[in-house]
Amino acid sequence: DPEVFNFTHAMLMEQSGLKLNKQDKEYLQLSYLVCSSAMDYIDLFNTTLWNKTCSPEAIDKLGDEMLPYFDVLGMTTVKWIGKSLNLNESLGISVTSEGFCYTFNMLPYEEILRYSDNFNNSMKPKNKSRKWSLEEGYPPGETFDAFPRRTFMPGLDGGLTIDNIYVNNSHLDYLCGESLQGFKVALHHPSEFPSMDRHFRLPLNQAVVVAIKPQMITVSPQLWNYSPKDRRCYFANERYLESYKMYTQQNCLQECVANYTFAQCKCIPFYYACKCDHHQVVSKPLDF
């Protein structure tokens, strides 16, 4: 939130040799975690002497004190299958490679991760699944309002609608992020964290309609007794992950990267889950 901290103003003061107060200097180094330009132009911004790691508690501070409010004018509406939802109850907050993002229909952290800390407890979505499982789906007789939410019809009225998303001009920071301003949307499974490597954009001053064509792969009961090697896939109950309660390919890949990075560097990217004691977090994944 630029009203709390303005990255461009602080960076220009730093480059001009002007002294920042203690809080702005701390915020500047925290912003380094999510501002891609600070990583891309290290020599220009003279950030080579900055600390490349910080504690998990610093990430709590980044979210608690610097996260901008989603509905800045009190006019944003959220609808699911034509039914209006409470904005604060339907949108949770999750951590991604680009900072904190608002998420819809994602399971609480406590249902995704095997461990829990203060950050996860404070940032988890408010909804909880009721007897839903990755393999079995919804139990027979489950009502239409079951969580995770599901739709029963195609088309515009059969999905999620978010109207009137506004942003203050003061929130547009061209030095911290990219020159193309707007919102990014990432689609992901409710039991996985969003990946900003796969996203589409919502430009400012435009209306956007997105059509989604899902592809579901199922396994017939006759193949359940085949070994994973023969069927070339794992069921959710056949692989144990240290950090995640549910096995998916995406969760497995993220855990492998986090574990390997921690083994090599004793730190992990701040947006990765890792069952590590007293670990440090680093701004970006390292190249090996």
Side-chain angles (χ1 to χ4, degrees):
D1 187 346
E3 296 181 2
V4 177
F5 172 73
N6 189 304
F7 177 83
T8 298
H9 178 70
M11 182 62 78
L12 293 177
M13 287 185 62
E14 181 83 0
Q15 296 301 303
S16 301
L18 301 177
K19 187 176 181 180
L20 295 173
N21 60 49
K22 182 179 179 181
Q23 178 172 281
D24 283 348
K25 196 169 187 65
E26 181 182 9
Y27 283 158
L28 184 61
Q29 295 208 25
L30 286 177
S31 300
Y32 175 81
L33 294 172
V34 295
C35 290
S36 58
S37 59
M39 290 291 293
D40 296 336
Y41 304 102
I42 290 179
D43 295 333
L44 175 63
F45 292 146
N46 194 28
T47 58
T48 54
L49 300 179
W50 288 7
N51 292 330
K52 300 301 187 295
T53 61
C54 66
S55 66
E57 290 74 22
I59 304 301
D60 295 344
K61 189 179 185 70
L62 184 67
D64 292 340
E65 300 180 9
M66 300 175 64
L67 181 69
Y69 187 58
F70 183 78
D71 186 13
V72 294
L73 297 180
M75 299 177 62
T76 304
T77 60
V78 177
K79 293 183 179 180
W80 175 252
I81 318 182
K83 180 182 178 181
S84 296
L85 301 177
N86 182 284
L87 179 68
N88 295 325
E89 293 181 357
S90 58
L91 297 182
I93 299 175
S94 62
V95 63
T96 73
S97 60
E98 300 196 12
F100 294 97
C101 294
Y102 290 91
T103 181
F104 178 81
N105 209 34
M106 178 178 170
L107 293 178
Y109 281 10
E110 64 186 23
E111 295 188 29
I112 299 177
L113 300 175
R114 294 190 182 278
Y115 68 95
S116 180
D117 55 29
N118 293 334
F119 167 75
N120 292 332
N121 286 334
S122 63
M123 292 298 178
K124 65 185 180 182
K126 302 176 177 61
N127 296 298
K128 292 186 178 182
S129 62
R130 298 192 296 266
K131 299 181 180 179
W132 173 88
S133 69
L134 188 60
E135 287 190 325
E136 301 295 333
Y138 300 90
E142 185 60 276
T143 60
F144 289 168
D145 62 346
F147 189 84
R149 294 180 176 88
R150 53 180 172 170
T151 186
F152 299 91
M153 57 183 178
L156 186 62
D157 294 331
L160 173 67
T161 302
I162 301 180
D163 283 332
N164 304 320
I165 306 178
Y166 294 93
V167 59
N168 287 335
N169 288 332
S170 62
H171 288 182
L172 302 180
D173 196 322
Y174 295 90
L175 190 57
C176 174
E178 304 169 351
S179 58
L180 183 61
Q181 297 296 305
F183 299 89
K184 293 181 179 180
V185 179
L187 302 179
H188 64 100
H189 193 276
S191 64
E192 298 174 349
F193 287 90
S195 172
M196 300 311 296
D197 293 335
R198 301 184 298 273
H199 69 270
F200 61 89
R201 291 183 177 273
L202 298 182
L204 299 178
N205 302 319
Q206 295 186 31
V208 178
V209 178
V210 179
I212 302 170
K213 186 178 181 180
Q215 183 181 30
M216 183 173 66
I217 300 176
T218 59
V219 179
S220 63
Q222 291 80 6
L223 299 179
W224 287 354
N225 293 327
Y226 280 51
S227 67
K229 181 179 179 181
D230 292 333
R231 71 172 108 92
R232 298 184 179 181
C233 66
Y234 287 102
F235 294 141
N237 62 346
E238 292 180 327
R239 296 287 290 181
Y240 178 86
L241 300 178
E242 291 185 351
S243 299
Y244 299 90
K245 291 182 178 180
M246 301 182 190
Y247 170 82
T248 68
Q249 185 180 39
Q250 178 68 19
N251 288 346
C252 182
L253 290 174
Q254 287 196 345
E255 180 166 297
C256 287
V257 173
N259 290 341
Y260 183 78
T261 304
F262 184 78
Q264 297 294 320
C265 311
K266 301 306 177 186
C267 62
I268 60 170
F270 68 93
Y271 49 91
Y272 275 173
C274 181
K275 197 174 182 180
C276 313
D277 294 330
H278 308 295
H279 63 269
Q280 294 285 306
V281 294
V282 67
S283 59
K284 298 289 181 182
L286 302 180
D287 295 327
F288 298 105

